[in-house]
């Protein structure tokens, strides 16, 4: 293994050494028995390629176009909570490193950094939102994101309630250990105690139109595993569908995203973009996702673990994963990310 590939492969171990047990548990945990979380990586590893040969791969372009915006990376940063518990610079380090790499950053509505500060880095960013029972309560947060330059809104639809997690023995629950100022700074003080601020149990297709109206932004639906839900999302106006099981943190025993992606692509590919996340750890995983028809992939735990080393860590992650992806594309006879769709 090259030194850079070793650096990437050892991210989890270095995070375990550097962070408190409660934070490590939070980053890595899955729901319930972690069946889904445990299967994600292997599902990508089971994909086999039929590489193309006799194609000039002198120049390989790994970039993709996401909702009309050119990303130099075929992978974006997925939304994750508690980045400032991983590194004091949190979302700002993530934003600077992703801007430098020409990538796309999705910011959790739970972020511990103001949207204005994130937007000021110049990164191309999308807001991720959960909607509350009383939708109108979300409006100030949405307005702040729009004012700070968010270019799309990603509605997470797999979280009517937060999936139950079992902390390991003797590991305190993270919420009891972290400073509350490290999250949800883009909501008004006292928001969580308002009647109607709990997560909506009645999300439906109409919420996509509501979000688009309120923000004027394209809406991405995150957390789809079934083809008919992808079709319903597109019929309700979604610009993209994001195949995700929330990193195995919601319904345990949900199917691996690698196995759900082809049906979603078959159902809506060409009408809306399709993204995927869950268990992507190497450039070969990126190639597998592109080969199954994804327009781009997103990374949850990898950038969080790299964030232990701050902006430089996230920059190193983008560099190494891009290098691995270009290498994989070249070996597969692909001149561009989109060529990978012919590989299976
Ligand atoms: C620590 C952690 C926090 C997360 N927080 C959010 C969140 O605030 N909003 C959201 O939509 N998804 C959240 N996710 C899910 C990620 O966006 C993504 O779907 C998942 O992590 C992808 O799997 P991977 O970690 O194997 O790459 C979180 C995931 C992790 C690991």
């Amino acid at each position: 293994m090259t030194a850079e590939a070793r650096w990437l492969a050892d991210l989890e171990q270095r995070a375990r050494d550097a962070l408190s047990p409660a934070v490590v548990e939070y980053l890595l945990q899955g729901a319930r028995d972690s069946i889904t979380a445990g299967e994600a990586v292997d599902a990508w590893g089971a994909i086999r390629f039929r590489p193309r040969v006799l194609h000039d791969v002198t120049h390989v372009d790994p970039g993709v176009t996401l909702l009309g915006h050119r990303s130099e990376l075929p992978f974006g940063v997925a939304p994750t909570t508690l980045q400032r518990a991983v590194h004091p610079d949190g979302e700002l380090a993530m934003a600077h490193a992703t801007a430098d790499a020409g990538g796309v950053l999705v910011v959790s509505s739970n972020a511990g950094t103001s949207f204005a500060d994130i937007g000021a880095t110049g990164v191309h960013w999308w807001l991720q939102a959960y909607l509350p029972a009383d939708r109108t309560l979300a409006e100030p947060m949405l307005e702040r994101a729009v004012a700070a330059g968010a270019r799309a809104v990603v509605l997470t639809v797999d979280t009517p309630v937060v999936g139950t997690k079992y902390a390991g023995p003797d590991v305190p629950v993270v919420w009891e250990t972290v400073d509350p100022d490290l999250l949800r700074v883009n909501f008004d003080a006292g928001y969580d105690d308002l009647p109607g601020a709990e997560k909506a149990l009645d999300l439906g297709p109409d919420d996509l139109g509501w979000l688009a109206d309120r923000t004027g932004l394209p809406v991405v639906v995150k957390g789809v595993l079934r083809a008919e839900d992808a079709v319903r999302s597109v019929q309700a106006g979604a610009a993209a569908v994001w195949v995700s099981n929330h990193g195995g943190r919601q319904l345990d025993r949900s199917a691996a995203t690698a196995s759900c992606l082809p049906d979603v692509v078959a159902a809506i590919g060409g009408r809306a973009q399709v993204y995927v996340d869950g268990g992507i750890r190497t450039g070969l995983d990126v190639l597998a996702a592109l080969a199954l028809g994804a327009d781009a992939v997103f990374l949850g735990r990898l950038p969080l673990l790299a964030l232990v080393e701050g902006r430089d860590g996230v920059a190193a992650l983008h560099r190494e994963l891009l290098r691995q992806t270009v290498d994989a594309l070249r070996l597969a006879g692909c001149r561009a990310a989109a060529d990978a769709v012919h590989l299976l």
Side-chain angles (χ1 to χ4, degrees):
M1 221 185 243
T2 64
E4 292 81 8
R6 170 59 56 202
W7 176 90
L8 182 61
D10 288 347
L11 276 182
E12 181 177 320
Q13 188 53 52
R14 287 199 307 285
R16 286 183 183 281
D17 296 341
L19 300 172
S20 75
V23 172
V24 171
E25 175 76 30
Y26 176 70
L27 302 192
L28 300 179
Q29 67 191 173
R32 302 264 173 199
D33 297 319
S34 294
I35 305 285
T36 299
E39 289 175 349
V41 173
D42 288 348
W44 296 114
I47 309 284
R48 296 292 174 268
F49 307 112
R50 297 172 196 214
R52 309 162 83 212
V53 296
L54 301 175
H55 290 277
D56 179 353
V57 287
T58 312
H59 302 290
V60 172
D61 176 9
V64 291
T65 300
L66 300 183
L67 303 181
H69 171 80
R70 158 89 186 176
S71 166
E72 301 302 328
L73 308 175
F75 44 86
V77 177
T80 50
T81 301
L82 270 193
Q83 295 183 11
R84 291 189 60 211
V86 175
H87 190 281
D89 296 342
E91 289 85 3
L92 277 189
M94 204 74 102
H96 278 297
T98 304
D100 290 348
V104 171
L105 175 72
V106 185
V107 175
S108 171
S109 46
N110 293 332
T113 305
S114 79
F115 295 150
D117 287 348
I118 293 168
T121 65
V123 72
H124 186 93
W125 73 282
W126 300 348
L127 169 73
Q128 174 271 328
Y130 298 106
L131 287 184
D134 177 352
R135 308 293 193 270
T136 60
L137 294 180
E139 287 173 354
M141 183 275 291
L142 295 172
E143 282 163 18
R144 281 173 196 138
V146 172
R151 305 292 190 85
V153 54
V154 176
L155 177 63
T156 300
V157 294
D158 58 14
T159 310
V161 292
V162 176
T164 298
K165 323 283 192 311
Y166 306 135
D170 305 325
V171 179
V173 175
V174 75
W175 310 114
E176 291 163 10
T177 69
V178 298
D179 177 351
D181 289 347
L182 295 183
L183 73 163
R184 293 174 72 71
V185 302
N186 294 285
F187 292 90
D188 294 331
Y191 171 93
D192 290 318
D193 299 325
L194 295 172
E198 66 279 7
K199 288 193 171 63
L201 291 170
D202 61 349
L203 272 191
D206 289 350
D207 285 302
L208 276 59
W210 182 87
L211 256 186
D213 281 351
R214 287 298 177 286
T215 61
L217 297 173
V219 175
V220 179
V221 180
K222 176 175 183 277
V224 173
L225 295 175
R226 302 181 62 86
E228 79 264 22
D229 286 337
V231 170
R232 289 167 70 225
S233 299
V234 173
Q235 284 169 346
V241 168
W242 182 325
V243 176
S244 175
N245 55 34
H246 214 114
R249 298 163 79 87
Q250 283 301 108
L251 179 67
D252 198 19
R253 305 193 204 174
S254 290
T257 53
S259 66
C260 299
L261 177 61
D263 285 350
V264 171
V265 171
I268 63 158
R271 285 197 282 158
Q273 291 205 302
V274 180
Y275 313 138
V276 68
D277 73 16
I280 303 278
R281 300 290 180 268
T282 67
L284 285 171
D285 299 335
V286 177
L287 184 70
L290 297 173
L292 291 177
D295 291 291
V297 309
F298 281 85
L299 314 170
R301 291 180 183 83
L302 273 193
L304 262 184
L305 297 171
L307 183 61
V308 171
E309 295 165 45
R311 175 177 176 168
D312 289 349
V314 181
L317 167 67
H318 289 331
R319 213 168 37 242
E320 174 56 12
L321 200 61
L322 184 64
R323 199 198 58 71
Q324 290 188 8
T325 304
V326 169
D327 189 51
L329 285 167
R330 188 169 268 135
L331 284 168
C334 300
R335 273 187 292 235
D339 292 347
V341 84
H342 302 296
L343 289 178
L344 298 183

